[in-house]
Amino acid sequence: MNREEDGDDEVVCLDESFFINDDYQLTTFTFGSQVLHLFCLQSASTDFDLTGQLVWPGAMLMNDYLSKNPDVLQASSILELGSGVGVTGILCSRFCREVLLTDHNEEVLKILKKNIEHHTSSENPNSDAGLAVEKLEWGNSDQINKIIQKYPDMTLLSILCCFQQSSISPLFDTVEQFLRLKGRGQCKFILAYVSRAKSMDSMVLNEATRHGLLINEIVGTRSVVGNLEGVIFEVTLK
Ligand SMILES: C[S@@+](CC[C@H](N)C(=O)[O-])C[C@H]1O[C@@H](n2cnc3c(N)ncnc32)[C@H](O)[C@@H]1O
């Protein structure tokens, strides 16, 4: 327990473990003919920064799209931003050579690694299934440069997200850095976006444009996920 002096008052801070729920349940997800078993929470934590402990509607949208259109991934190497428990990156590994799953939250990285170990040992115990994990904070140029040097063959970048407004700019900053470092035509970003507010919809389009990116809706992907409307965008350099 931490104690902080605040004038005459002594404030007692709860240890961070008080807020962390890591009672993950092994859960089955089916996307077309693809079945995945992953550890995740069934409901969101009260701490916003732990959003990655469960599977979000954007991931359901993205995984449905990828399972119906695996040619999008064939022979590619994928970098996923904000992987959470890994439901999309692990699905991608069924269709492509190499997948790098990333997140910034230490607690989320723990369950992500556990899911990759579980997937690898249950599905293909003699291989690492081409799955790797790295810590990546959006906008962190050092981490981005290190990843590009360590994984030079990555050609496609993917993420799924329901956004917090404050994440939108660093997210597109990261996407821009990757696309510019890889070079025009070498890399694209696929975004599953689930709308929760009109203001956020326009912020996503404006931020992409502000970062010199073209953002185009992939025809036929607009659909309802739960009670929300989602769509998949393809994002490239202008
Ligand atoms: C809404 S969750 C989505 C998780 C998973 N992709 C899904 O759709 O189920 C957003 C994810 O992005 C990660 N994230 C949020 N802000 C980030 C940042 N600034 N840098 C890196 N990762 C971030 C969170 O830890 C979380 O795993």
Side-chain angles (χ1 to χ4, degrees):
M1 207 178 275
N2 298 325
R3 287 174 191 275
E4 287 171 13
E5 292 295 329
D6 180 13
D8 287 343
D9 212 5
E10 191 180 81
V11 179
V12 181
C13 300
L14 289 159
D15 186 81
E16 67 173 20
S17 64
F18 184 82
F19 298 97
I20 294 176
N21 174 6
D22 58 3
D23 187 16
Y24 299 108
Q25 321 260 318
L26 190 58
T27 309
T28 300
F29 296 91
T30 304
F31 305 101
S33 60
Q34 302 297 321
V35 180
L36 298 179
H37 306 285
L38 294 170
F39 291 98
C40 58
L41 293 187
Q42 309 298 307
S43 59
S45 157
T46 49
D47 180 341
F48 258 155
D49 204 31
L50 290 170
T51 53
Q53 288 182 307
L54 69 156
V55 170
W56 285 77
M60 306 304 284
L61 178 65
M62 179 67 105
N63 284 23
D64 268 343
Y65 169 69
L66 294 176
S67 66
K68 287 179 191 144
N69 299 278
D71 47 308
V72 171
L73 299 169
Q74 239 121 46
S76 307
S77 302
I78 306 293
L79 168 75
E80 185 184 23
L81 299 176
S83 295
V85 293
V87 69
T88 296
I90 291 174
L91 179 75
C92 289
S93 73
R94 299 249 169 105
F95 305 116
C96 60
R97 263 186 296 127
E98 186 187 20
V99 184
L100 175 62
L101 299 94
T102 68
D103 210 284
H104 72 151
N105 182 287
E106 295 296 344
E107 206 53 41
V108 171
L109 287 165
K110 273 193 231 162
I111 185 64
L112 177 57
K113 286 177 186 160
K114 180 173 171 170
N115 274 328
I116 288 176
E117 274 163 28
H118 177 78
H119 175 79
T120 307
S121 60
S122 60
E123 187 149 294
N124 196 353
N126 297 320
S127 112
D128 63 4
L131 286 159
V133 176
E134 297 279 349
K135 180 170 179 159
L136 174 56
E137 176 77 47
W138 301 338
N140 184 319
S141 305
D142 286 348
Q143 290 177 351
I144 293 171
N145 283 318
K146 274 192 200 134
I147 284 178
I148 294 219
Q149 278 167 19
K150 194 167 165 191
Y151 303 89
D153 291 340
M154 267 170 345
T155 54
L156 188 81
L157 194 67
S158 136
I159 196 207
L160 29 111
C161 224
C162 287
F163 294 102
Q164 286 170 250
Q165 294 201 359
S166 58
S167 307
I168 296 175
S169 180
L171 171 69
F172 281 110
D173 183 53
T174 305
V175 173
E176 182 188 359
Q177 288 194 50
F178 268 108
L179 296 186
R180 292 204 187 285
L181 285 165
K182 295 301 290 185
R184 196 178 298 277
Q186 298 302 306
C187 188
K188 66 184 166 188
F189 172 60
I190 299 180
L191 170 69
Y193 175 68
V194 173
S195 174
R196 287 194 299 184
K198 290 254 179 294
S199 58
M200 222 187 281
D201 301 353
S202 44
M203 198 182 281
V204 166
L205 301 178
N206 292 341
E207 276 298 318
T209 308
R210 197 173 72 77
H211 283 87
L213 304 169
L214 273 180
I215 178 161
N216 287 315
E217 181 172 328
I218 300 180
V219 176
T221 59
R222 192 166 280 276
S223 58
V224 173
V225 198
N227 62 339
L228 302 169
E229 185 168 286
V231 64
I232 302 205
F233 291 114
E234 184 176 287
V235 181
T236 50
L237 279 181
K238 255 188 202 157

